[in-house]
């Protein structure tokens, strides 16, 4: 399976958010690359749980900016974050049995959701925050 590769087309123009997105790419890539999972001596379940926790931290960062700057689509955006949270909690529970691999459907979901969310939904705040002077 192809790994996620971050490039400038994923940049939302805010340094801290771009860094968080890169970290999420890295964590999903660790799940794709079983060798990495062995190097870090972590089970797939642990990596998936960490990724889920980091995603929550990232969503909170975005949502705090949205509240602070009164972003008009805040509630719709938050709803998407919530959908991802719910799905990944289910995935975490499913992989608690210390599996050595992640089912392909889960990896496909994580990759598709994250890339689509950044390129379509997150991009909607790019210009808004830029005009507010956020970098
Ligand atoms: Fe970057 Fe809306 O998550």
């Amino acid at each position: 399976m192809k790994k996620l590769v971050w490039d400038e087309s994923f940049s939302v123009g805010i340094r801290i958010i771009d860094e968080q997105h890169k970290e999420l790419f890295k964590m999903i890539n660790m799940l794709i690359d079983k060798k990495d999972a062995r190097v870090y001596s972590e089970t797939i379940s642990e990596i998936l749980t960490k990724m889920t926790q980091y995603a929550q931290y990232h969503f909170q960062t975005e949502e705090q900016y949205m509240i602070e700057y009164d972003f008009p689509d805040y509630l719709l955006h938050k709803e998407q974050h919530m959908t991802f949270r719910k799905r990944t909690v289910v995935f975490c529970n499913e992989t608690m049995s210390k599996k050595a691999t992640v089912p392909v459907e889960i990896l496909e979901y994580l990759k598709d959701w994250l890339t689509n969310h950044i390129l379509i939904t997150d991009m909607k705040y790019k210009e808004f925050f830029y005009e507010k002077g956020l970098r």
Side-chain angles (χ1 to χ4, degrees):
M1 180 182 284
K2 271 184 152 182
K3 287 189 183 184
L4 290 171
V5 179
W6 195 93
D7 63 35
E8 279 303 312
S9 69
F10 288 100
S11 176
V12 295
I14 304 165
R15 193 187 51 80
I16 193 167
I17 302 284
D18 283 346
E19 291 307 316
Q20 291 179 352
H21 285 155
K22 285 178 195 171
E23 188 62 26
L24 286 169
F25 274 30
K26 209 167 103 184
M27 293 174 115
I28 292 174
N29 284 341
M30 278 173 70
L31 288 169
I32 294 168
D33 190 346
K34 283 185 290 181
K35 285 189 194 109
D36 278 355
R38 289 194 196 102
V39 167
Y40 289 94
S41 308
E42 289 171 312
T43 64
I44 292 299
S45 170
E46 282 168 340
I47 299 170
L48 189 57
T49 301
K50 276 187 185 169
M51 192 282 298
T52 304
Q53 287 167 345
Y54 191 82
Q56 299 213 17
Y57 163 71
H58 164 64
F59 294 156
Q60 279 171 2
T61 306
E62 275 186 2
E63 288 169 18
Q64 275 166 7
Y65 280 137
M66 288 178 199
I67 292 167
E68 192 181 333
Y69 291 91
D70 205 15
F71 181 61
D73 283 342
Y74 163 66
L75 288 176
L76 277 174
H77 198 124
K78 191 181 169 182
E79 214 173 284
Q80 284 209 14
H81 289 169
M82 190 56 76
T83 303
F84 183 82
R85 281 188 186 107
K86 284 180 186 163
R87 287 296 293 273
T88 50
V89 165
V90 173
F91 292 156
C92 286
N93 290 337
E94 284 173 356
T95 56
M96 280 301 180
S97 52
K98 302 199 183 296
K99 285 181 181 165
T101 57
V102 191
V104 173
E105 318 81 77
I106 294 182
L107 290 175
E108 292 291 359
Y109 174 84
L110 296 175
K111 282 174 66 175
D112 290 349
W113 190 91
L114 187 61
T115 52
N116 286 329
H117 182 77
I118 295 173
L119 293 175
I120 299 167
T121 310
D122 285 354
M123 282 302 158
K124 288 180 182 164
Y125 63 59
K126 186 173 182 173
E127 200 178 324
F128 178 85
F129 284 142
Y130 184 85
E131 283 173 6
K132 301 284 181 190
L134 208 60
R135 302 286 187 273

